[in-house]
Amino acid sequence: MIELPLPLTTGRLRLRHLVPGDLAAMHAMESSEDVTRWLYFEPRTEEEARAALDRRIARARDAPETGVTFAVEESATGALVGHVSLTVEPHRQGEIGFIFHPDHQGRGYATEAGRAVLGIAFGAYGLHRVFGRLEARNAASARVLEKLGMRREAHLVENEWVKGEWQSELVYALLAREWRSGV
Ligand SMILES: CC(C)(COP(=O)(O)OP(=O)(O)OC[C@H]1O[C@@H](n2cnc3c(N)ncnc32)[C@H](O)[C@@H]1OP(=O)(O)O)[C@@H](O)C(=O)NCCC(=O)NCCS
């Protein structure tokens, strides 16, 4: 069983496991049109947010080696401001993804939490490569991955039919040795 270094404190944030009491904050994020604009899902109802939260909690409890969604709290207030997910794929690859509440965006929180999750991905998980995928118009997401030192490796043009239109995908990635060399 993988040993995760949680809770993990960064300069302004605390990363921990999700708990059922996070439902209201998770629903607030996942019901927002702004948040879901470039995601695969539409704004979630409370029941949908509860089901998604339950799945994440169950995965962290029963199969953490397949990945975990990390709850991100603001240390100063204890508020759940976002979450970062890590999904383990074959070949020691992992996918990172972020969702932050609009009230807490633009303060560098996704970058700060993402850096901590990369540390866990290359540390506790022993991954060789971490990648992020995003819709090509999701400029904030691309910027976060660039600030994390990830390399733009692909721009797939109109490779997916999502929400009634052809969407394009950017792929960013970072290798363990690049992370260790402080890229
Ligand atoms: C993507 C997301 C996680 C970023 O969270 P955040 O905490 O605001 O990120 P940070 O503050 O660390 O960095 C955001 C960067 O994007 C930039 N940015 C924000 N909106 C932008 C836009 N429309 N165009 C260009 N850059 C933008 C910010 O200026 C900042 O860069 P800077 O530090 O160089 O100024 C957040 O916007 C979000 O939750 N979006 C909705 C869900 C989503 O799309 N997730 C990604 C799925 S792939």
Side-chain angles (χ1 to χ4, degrees):
M1 191 64 101
I2 190 153
E3 285 290 326
L4 294 176
L6 297 180
L8 180 65
T9 304
T10 66
R12 298 172 295 169
L13 305 170
R14 183 169 172 270
L15 276 66
R16 59 165 173 78
H17 281 298
L18 285 164
V19 295
D22 291 326
L23 177 60
M26 293 293 278
H27 179 233
M29 281 178 242
E30 295 180 348
S31 60
S32 157
E33 296 267 0
D34 288 343
V35 164
T36 58
R37 176 69 189 89
W38 301 118
L39 304 181
Y40 290 115
F41 61 88
E42 300 287 357
R44 284 180 169 151
T45 63
E46 187 175 325
E47 272 321 297
E48 289 167 341
R50 187 194 309 278
L53 177 60
D54 288 349
R55 280 196 302 274
R56 289 171 165 140
I57 291 172
R59 181 174 72 149
R61 182 190 59 228
D62 301 335
E65 66 283 355
T66 66
V68 160
T69 298
F70 300 92
V72 182
E73 271 182 16
E74 190 177 48
S75 299
T77 60
L80 184 82
V81 294
H83 55 89
V84 181
S85 61
L86 179 70
T87 304
V88 176
E89 301 286 350
H91 306 285
R92 288 170 56 207
Q93 313 279 305
E95 178 168 4
I96 192 167
F98 311 77
I99 294 184
F100 280 73
H101 191 284
D103 289 351
H104 301 281
Q105 291 178 11
R107 300 183 197 169
Y109 283 172
T111 307
E112 186 171 322
R115 199 165 282 127
V117 170
L118 286 177
I120 293 173
F122 293 124
Y125 280 96
L127 296 181
H128 174 66
R129 175 176 174 271
V130 174
F131 62 92
R133 299 182 302 127
L134 55 133
E135 213 290 329
R137 288 165 286 182
N138 193 346
S141 179
R143 182 75 191 120
V144 169
L145 298 179
E146 279 162 11
K147 288 195 290 179
L148 288 171
M150 299 177 79
R151 171 182 43 254
R152 186 184 288 200
E153 294 191 338
H155 183 170
L156 307 175
V157 179
E158 296 191 10
N159 64 320
E160 291 182 324
W161 179 259
V162 182
K163 297 182 176 175
E165 62 171 0
W166 286 110
Q167 293 197 350
S168 299
E169 185 174 56
L170 300 179
V171 180
Y172 281 82
L174 185 67
L175 300 176
R177 63 172 176 273
E178 296 170 328
W179 170 255
R180 291 199 187 96
S181 71
V183 165

